[in-house]
Amino acid sequence: MAVGDPVAEAPAGQPGLKVSGLFHRFGELVAVDGLTVQVGPGEIVGLVGRNGAGKTTAMRAVMGIIRPERGDIRWSGHPVGPTDRLRFGYMPEERGLYPQMRILDQLAYFAQLHGLAPATARGEAHRWLLRLGLEGRGLDRVVALSHGNQQRVQLAVALVHHPELLVLDEPFAGLDPTAVDALSDILRAEAQRQAAILFSSHQLEIVERLCSRVVILEEGRVLAAGTLEELRARRPRQLRVKVGGSAEWAAQLLGVQVVRQDGDGVVLLLGPGTDPQLILRAAQACGPVQQFGFEASGLVDLYRQLVSA
């Protein structure tokens, strides 16, 4: 699969979520244009892109909140229906909590909506309050909580019924570093129990740390998709070289572009067929070589390269 292909494939033969050819617009604005993505059991797939790229629209379509103009949404090989969505957990970007309802009652209520018996629902509500650091707050009303704690309650609503699919829209927004770490651990644990997880985030470092695969959206289309290693392999490699002397030598090289220069040397973009050994010899001719190696691009760098291409 090449960068720019409108597909983000899960391993063949796996059950889970499959979205194919999703298209939707609001008036003249095309929100999602031909999106295809799969999320298998135990996978965490991240949707990234700037505001308006189509992430929220895609998630709302999966959850049945909007009916897309075209496209196919399947769970375990069949079209998604209301019974399937009872096994999904959803965390919207805009909060969907009852502000005057007590937290414990709210969690138990949503658990029962998803099919849990009343006693089981209340037990699971207690368990998630404890797990999310809200012990002792069960009788508080949602409106009395901080933004971060409201975020935790919204996550508990998505998790309280042990969903098979988690669809989380910006779950890390507004969380402090400790809460980010706690939520990351929970998502890893949910993946280990074979839940399929699709989430969006503007915090690319978190996406890079958590996700099995990444889908980069731009203007409703998939700009690139795959593992971080696959995305790296399809972008030109950048070579960092630090020489104990002037860096002017780099500007004279053929087939090489100077990307940037800083206190740790120069970063070079190699053209097709450029031999790194020739660059090494040119660097050695200018002074002692203190650093020479290819940089492993993080998701932030890859994203910037792709959206500016």
Side-chain angles (χ1 to χ4, degrees), residues 34 96 108 111 124 130 141 147 149 177 187 196 203 206 220 239 273:
E124 288 301 314
L130 178 62
R141 300 181 192 277
H147 172 80
N149 281 337
L187 294 189
Q203 294 159 277
I206 298 173
L239 181 67

Side-chain angles (χ1 to χ4, degrees), residues 19-306:
V19 178
S20 304
L22 194 68
F23 178 90
H24 193 70
R25 61 187 165 188
F26 298 97
E28 297 300 315
L29 175 66
V30 175
V32 180
D33 191 359
L35 171 65
T36 295
V37 61
Q38 293 186 18
V39 189
E43 279 199 303
I44 305 178
V45 175
L47 289 180
V48 302
R50 64 185 92 200
N51 290 335
K55 305 183 297 297
T56 295
T57 300
M59 291 182 166
R60 288 175 175 172
V62 169
M63 295 306 301
I65 298 170
I66 62 172
R67 180 175 295 178
E69 294 182 39
R70 294 194 300 273
D72 187 45
I73 303 173
R74 291 178 175 264
W75 176 253
S76 294
H78 61 264
V80 173
T83 301
D84 296 302
R85 292 193 175 99
L86 288 177
R87 301 197 300 271
F88 296 172
Y90 178 50
M91 182 176 178
E93 183 176 13
E94 73 290 344
R95 299 300 158 239
L97 302 171
Y98 296 105
Q100 296 298 333
M101 194 173 184
R102 299 186 190 279
I103 299 167
L104 181 63
D105 292 340
Q106 187 147 196
L107 293 184
Y109 168 73
F110 278 107
Q112 289 180 68
L113 286 182
H114 285 276
L116 271 64
T120 304
R122 205 151 187 91
E124 288 301 314
H126 276 292
R127 188 173 74 87
W128 278 106
L129 286 176
L130 178 62
R131 190 169 177 188
L132 287 168
L134 294 170
E135 186 178 12
R137 305 297 302 269
L139 297 182
D140 291 351
R141 300 181 192 277
V142 171
V143 71
L145 299 180
S146 66
H147 172 80
N149 281 337
Q150 288 187 26
Q151 189 95 329
R152 293 173 193 237
V153 175
Q154 186 75 69
L155 178 63
V157 166
L159 290 164
V160 69
H161 56 289
H162 301 281
E164 297 174 16
L165 171 69
L166 273 171
V167 178
L168 310 175
D169 197 354
E170 294 290 343
F172 294 95
L175 296 184
D176 60 57
T178 300
V180 166
D181 290 342
L183 174 53
S184 298
D185 289 342
I186 286 170
L187 294 189
R188 290 190 187 99
E190 291 297 298
Q192 286 177 355
R193 73 165 180 85
Q194 294 303 294
I197 301 173
L198 178 67
F199 83 91
S200 70
S201 181
H202 287 102
Q203 294 159 277
L204 300 187
E205 297 86 354
I206 298 173
V207 175
E208 180 176 349
R209 193 164 67 237
L210 282 178
C211 290
S212 315
R213 290 179 293 115
V214 178
V215 181
I216 299 176
L217 292 175
E218 178 76 356
E219 296 182 347
R221 293 179 175 269
V222 175
L223 188 61
T227 66
L228 189 59
E229 291 72 21
E230 288 170 340
L231 296 179
R232 283 174 180 151
R234 297 173 190 137
R235 303 303 302 168
R237 295 190 298 171
Q238 294 186 352
L239 181 67
R240 178 174 287 279
V241 186
K242 185 175 183 181
V243 178
S246 171
E248 295 179 1
W249 63 275
Q252 311 303 318
L253 296 172
L254 296 177
V256 172
Q257 175 187 344
V258 178
V259 177
R260 62 182 179 275
Q261 179 178 345
D262 54 35
D264 292 319
V266 292
V267 176
L268 308 175
L269 187 65
L270 276 59
T274 302
D275 186 353
Q277 293 302 315
L278 294 177
I279 299 173
L280 177 59
R281 288 195 284 272
Q284 289 172 328
C286 294
V289 177
Q290 300 171 358
Q291 184 175 348
F292 186 89
F294 286 100
E295 293 195 324
S297 299
L299 183 57
V300 173
D301 291 332
L302 289 169
Y303 176 80
R304 287 173 177 161
Q305 292 173 26
L306 287 165

